[in-house]
Amino acid sequence: MSDVSFHIGEFSQELRLMLAMLEMEDGAELTFEQWELLQEIDWHTFIDLTRHHRVFPTIHLKLQELKTPHIPLFVSGMFQRDYYRNTLQMLALSGEMEQLSSRFANEDIRALFLKGPVIAADLYGDVSLRTSCDLDLLVPMEQLNKAEELLVSLGYMKDEYIATVLNDWKWRHHHITFHHPAKGIKVEVHWRLNPAPSKEPTFDELWSRKRKSSLISRPIYYLGREDLFMFLVSHGARHGWSRLRWLLDIKKLMNQRIDWTRLTQLLKKHHYHNIGGQALFLAAKLLAAPLKEEMRPLLASRKAEWLAEDTMFYIQRMVNLHSPPLPKDVERYHRQYLFALMSKRQKLQHIASFLYPYPEDAKTLPLPKRLHFLYFPLRPLLWAWRKTKRIPA
């Protein structure tokens, strides 16, 4: 593996200490340099950082292992409270996941849980060691309406945030969101793993490689290891690895029994091999994840190295992509970064998608549904009109 310059020395002391703790194996001790960091950091900043990256459960356990007087009592207390709240949250999500899995099975709806407690149990061995704010599940497109009806019957309310024209929602988007007002639980129902222009396995392929979770006695199905790796790296990459919990997931998954030959073929088939290499570079450089000989085909790409470098923008600045509106410089950088992630074929598809009508076209010039096909030839004119009038495109 060639050396990738991540300029880690430019990271804040708090970020360097957090990375050092995430690198540590169970029972390991800090180096002299890391002990110096521990005595000099701003603890309020450190707490904010671990919350932003959603790694505070792991850091809480590491701080407990260190047993040092250099950690103020308020810090230990804060991490203890966060850990306790997260445990309650994960237990609540586990219970809801069990109920939903049972109800989906009763209605003959095939569902694969993508993240949440099922992944926490698989990767960390304990649901309290990973954070989750919602449940994500994947269903076949033909069962999407049935899944929606079931969730509504259980008291969930659909978030009607998707505007669409000519059924572009099927490929421009990849999930719909439901909230349960009484339980305070959010569920995202996916019909795709990622939004366009992604190329991915069919639901039947994913279902044929599914695993059964041992978290509870009832059958809960989730992705096979290679499919899970592909999903997690595509999700993390799309968000610039701006939260290191996603990278910690990859490190945990790298330690499992993965068929790397099969995984490499899968990633190449679906144009994710550069993103897979990006994740391996980052996990090795930032979290000291061990690299193996069978990973070499994914590490040979120069583009994977460059993409890994590109994520430093998000990590150094503690960027939160989930809180729009984004600062203009972040929005511009992220748009360019997402384009750089794409393969040549995906870039062509992405550019071509601008020729497909957008919901904004229907707002600019409302037409009867039977005439919506006219938005194809009219799109350039409607786009130019909005730009002239400075109407958001």
Side-chain angles (χ1 to χ4, degrees):
M1 170 180 164
S2 58
D3 185 43
V4 185
S5 175
F6 280 174
H7 311 297
I8 293 177
E10 298 177 6
F11 288 174
S12 69
Q13 293 189 150
E14 291 75 22
L15 179 55
R16 284 157 54 200
L17 178 62
M18 189 183 77
L19 290 173
M21 289 186 172
L22 295 177
E23 286 181 11
M24 293 168 58
E25 299 298 330
D26 293 341
E29 295 183 356
L30 292 175
T31 65
F32 177 76
E33 179 184 357
Q34 292 162 348
W35 274 111
E36 286 188 324
L37 284 174
L38 188 67
Q39 298 175 58
E40 298 172 1
I41 67 167
D42 181 322
W43 284 107
H44 293 284
T45 301
F46 183 76
I47 292 170
D48 290 343
L49 196 63
T50 62
R51 286 172 173 170
H52 167 78
H53 287 289
R54 305 294 194 267
V55 294
F56 59 83
T58 299
I59 299 298
H60 168 63
L61 293 188
K62 297 299 182 185
L63 289 175
Q64 282 189 323
E65 289 177 5
L66 293 177
K67 297 178 181 178
T68 171
H70 295 295
I71 302 171
L73 287 177
F74 86 88
V75 174
S76 302
M78 195 73 73
F79 275 103
Q80 180 66 47
R81 283 191 291 273
D82 284 355
Y83 182 83
Y84 177 72
R85 291 193 192 102
N86 182 63
T87 300
L88 294 180
Q89 168 81 357
M90 294 300 286
L91 290 175
L93 288 176
S94 297
E96 188 68 7
M97 182 178 64
E98 180 178 7
Q99 180 186 359
L100 290 180
S101 180
S102 176
R103 294 299 296 268
F104 273 62
N106 291 341
E107 297 296 325
D108 293 322
I109 302 173
R110 294 184 294 169
L112 289 168
F113 285 84
L114 299 176
K115 293 185 290 183
V118 68
I119 302 303
D122 179 33
L123 299 182
Y124 296 80
D126 186 338
V127 295
S128 66
L129 292 180
R130 188 185 188 275
T131 65
S132 292
C133 62
D134 56 21
L135 295 173
D136 295 73
L137 54 93
L138 178 73
V139 300
M141 171 64 84
E142 61 270 18
Q143 292 189 308
L144 184 61
N145 288 336
K146 195 174 179 180
E148 178 179 339
E149 291 171 359
L150 175 58
L151 286 171
V152 170
S153 73
L154 294 175
Y156 281 88
M157 300 178 65
K158 182 180 178 182
D159 189 344
E160 302 282 358
Y161 64 92
I162 295 179
T164 183
V165 64
L166 293 167
N167 287 325
D168 68 335
W169 64 272
K170 292 182 178 181
W171 54 275
R172 290 198 200 274
H173 300 272
H174 63 299
H175 67 72
I176 46 180
T177 302
F178 297 85
H179 293 87
H180 198 294
K183 296 180 179 179
I185 290 177
K186 181 174 75 170
V187 173
E188 291 186 353
V189 180
H190 295 238
W191 59 92
R192 297 169 55 91
L193 294 177
N194 297 292
S198 66
K199 183 176 183 292
E200 57 191 51
T202 65
F203 184 89
D204 287 340
E205 289 176 304
L206 297 172
W207 186 257
S208 70
R209 300 191 288 261
K210 69 183 183 297
R211 289 181 288 167
K212 179 181 175 181
S213 174
S214 59
L215 182 59
I216 57 176
S217 57
R218 295 176 183 271
I220 293 180
Y221 299 112
Y222 66 117
L223 296 173
R225 283 194 178 91
E226 291 75 28
D227 291 321
L228 179 61
F229 185 96
M230 183 174 68
F231 171 65
L232 291 179
V233 299
S234 62
H235 179 269
R238 194 170 72 249
H239 292 86
W241 301 101
S242 53
R243 285 182 179 158
L244 290 174
R245 181 197 63 192
W246 299 321
L247 200 59
L248 189 59
D249 290 345
I250 299 302
K251 179 181 179 179
K252 296 290 185 181
L253 189 52
M254 288 168 65
N255 290 328
Q256 294 190 349
R257 290 185 299 173
I258 289 180
D259 186 333
W260 289 97
T261 300
R262 180 180 176 184
L263 174 60
T264 301
Q265 294 171 347
L266 184 70
L267 293 175
K268 287 185 175 180
K269 178 180 179 180
H270 299 289
H271 303 277
Y272 287 127
H273 57 286
N274 287 321
I275 292 174
Q278 177 201 41
L280 295 181
F281 277 121
L282 287 169
K285 285 293 184 178
L286 298 181
L287 303 181
L291 296 176
K292 304 173 184 177
E293 181 63 28
E294 52 264 40
M295 303 175 188
R296 187 172 295 278
L298 294 174
L299 299 169
S301 168
R302 291 291 296 173
K303 182 176 179 180
E305 294 186 39
W306 298 333
L307 292 175
E309 277 273 15
D310 290 343
T311 63
M312 295 302 101
F313 175 88
Y314 304 94
I315 296 172
Q316 285 182 299
R317 289 165 179 77
M318 208 164 75
V319 171
N320 187 353
L321 296 173
H322 294 81
S323 297
L326 299 174
K328 291 297 182 183
D329 62 324
V330 173
E331 183 180 8
R332 181 170 56 253
Y333 185 91
H334 191 56
R335 187 166 55 247
Q336 295 170 347
Y337 165 79
L338 289 177
F339 191 71
L341 284 182
M342 300 177 193
S343 65
K344 291 180 181 178
R345 178 177 175 179
Q346 289 171 328
K347 287 177 179 178
L348 289 174
Q349 292 175 333
H350 177 68
I351 294 170
S353 72
F354 288 111
L355 301 177
Y356 198 98
Y358 277 75
E360 290 79 3
D361 298 322
K363 291 180 181 178
T364 304
L365 181 63
L367 293 173
K369 193 170 184 178
R370 67 179 184 277
L371 297 179
H372 278 189
F373 69 92
L374 292 176
Y375 287 128
F376 281 99
L378 290 173
R379 170 147 176 75
L381 297 175
L382 295 174
W383 177 84
W385 171 262
R386 288 195 297 272
K387 286 295 183 182
T388 302
K389 299 296 182 180
R390 296 186 177 181
I391 301 174

